[in-house]
């Protein structure tokens, strides 16, 4: 009963409509479509190759596509409602604010998984037929990363009106650049945390991560829980007059 009280079907339906009925949906369809086009082209030109599969799934799918879709879904789940003031009508309803946030978190996470983890799995099978378990490993990594990104970017949507810009800077600069290249930054990268799971699932030596699996699990859980909790706390501070 407690878990059910944290999910509100009407809030979920409105959030899905907001995410999938606007321009955001076009971008979310474009990114996985591009991944699949790349996968087909690479397979046609070079055949099945494990190192190429790792480069495409790790370098584009996990490092770029997943966080970008996370930004679109996470910030889009609540940011526009705060910006245009329509969140006031939602807050006026007899729905607990933690329930609103948790429902939007579930929707943002679900959308991110569908638009990132599933295309990653399909692209992996296209590239090398899941050789060395790369397709499954990266799909699972995309799934757990989607959960953490969903919480992080939902929080951004509640604390700043520039959530999309901040999220894009994080996704493109921190995750895609620093998270991949700078040794110290890798320890604080969701990408590297998710790669720890991929490393465990894939064949030995097929995937590497800078973070051990136990530490990665703890960090992902801590960030996800803390971000979701604080987003709910921040939503409580919004006034029904919408001055925030």
């Amino acid at each position: 009963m407690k878990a059910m009280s944290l999910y509100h079907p009407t809030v979920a339906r409105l959030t899905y409509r907001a995410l999938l009925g606007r321009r955001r949906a076009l971008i979310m369809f474009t990114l996985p479509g591009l991944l699949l086009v790349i996968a087909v082209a690479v397979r046609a030109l070079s055949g099945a190759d494990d190192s190429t599969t790792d480069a495409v799934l790790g370098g584009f799918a996990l490092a770029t596509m997943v966080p970008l879709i996370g930004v679109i879904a996470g910030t889009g789940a609540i940011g526009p409602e705060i910006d245009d003031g329509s969140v006031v009508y939602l807050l006026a309803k007899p729905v607990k604010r933690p329930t609103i946030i948790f429902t939007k978190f579930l929707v943002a996470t679900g959308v991110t998984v569908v638009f990132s983890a599933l295309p990653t799995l399909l692209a992996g099978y296209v590239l090398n037929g899941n050789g060395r378990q790369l397709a499954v490993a990266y799909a699972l990594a995309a799934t757990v990363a989607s959960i953490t990104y969903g919480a992080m970017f939902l929080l951004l949507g509640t604390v700043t009106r520039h959530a999309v810009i901040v999220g894009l800077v994080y996704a493109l600069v921190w995750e895609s650049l620093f998270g991949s290249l700078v040794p110290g930054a890798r320890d604080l990268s969701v990408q590297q945390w998710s790669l720890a799971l991929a490393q465990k699932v894939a064949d030995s030596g097929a995937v590497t991560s800078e973070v051990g699996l136990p530490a990665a699990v703890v960090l992902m859980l801590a960030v996800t829980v803390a971000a979701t909790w604080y987003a709910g706390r921040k939503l409580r501070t919004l006034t029904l007059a919408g001055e925030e």
Side-chain angles (χ1 to χ4, degrees), residues 140-161:
L140 287 175
T143 299
V144 296
S146 295
I147 296 172
T148 303
Y149 286 136
M152 289 172 53
F153 296 130
L154 180 63
L155 172 61
L156 272 182
T158 65
V159 300
T160 176
R161 293 182 181 274

Side-chain angles (χ1 to χ4, degrees), residues 51-233:
S51 62
T52 302
T53 301
D54 179 64
V56 172
L57 298 184
F60 178 73
L62 190 62
T64 302
M65 184 186 73
V66 178
L68 284 178
I69 292 177
V71 169
I72 298 167
T75 61
I78 196 169
E81 293 176 298
I82 294 177
D83 290 342
D84 63 20
S86 62
V87 71
V88 172
Y89 301 101
L90 180 60
L91 298 180
K93 302 297 182 182
V95 182
K96 294 181 179 179
R97 298 187 184 188
T99 297
I100 295 173
I101 285 295
F102 190 72
T103 300
K104 288 181 175 292
F105 162 69
L106 291 178
V107 172
T109 297
V111 168
T112 307
V113 169
V114 169
F115 281 90
S116 60
L118 294 181
T120 298
L121 179 66
L122 182 56
Y125 272 96
V126 170
L127 285 164
N128 77 337
N130 195 37
R132 305 193 73 184
Q133 295 295 309
L134 286 173
V136 172
Y138 275 107
L140 287 175
T143 299
V144 296
S146 295
I147 296 172
T148 303
Y149 286 136
M152 289 172 53
F153 296 130
L154 180 63
L155 172 61
L156 272 182
T158 65
V159 300
T160 176
R161 293 182 181 274
H162 306 290
V164 174
I165 296 175
V166 176
L168 288 175
V169 170
Y170 174 86
L172 296 176
V173 177
W174 185 264
E175 289 288 17
S176 297
L177 184 60
F178 289 103
S180 300
L181 302 176
V182 181
R186 295 173 184 172
D187 294 339
L188 300 176
S189 167
V190 176
Q191 175 192 348
Q192 292 296 324
W193 301 344
S194 62
L195 279 173
L197 176 61
Q199 183 178 19
K200 180 70 174 179
V201 173
D203 290 353
S204 179
V207 179
T208 58
S209 172
E210 298 295 322
V211 183
L213 183 58
V217 171
V218 170
L219 288 168
M220 283 191 290
L221 285 174
V223 170
T224 301
V225 171
T228 305
W229 171 81
Y230 190 72
R233 182 181 177 87

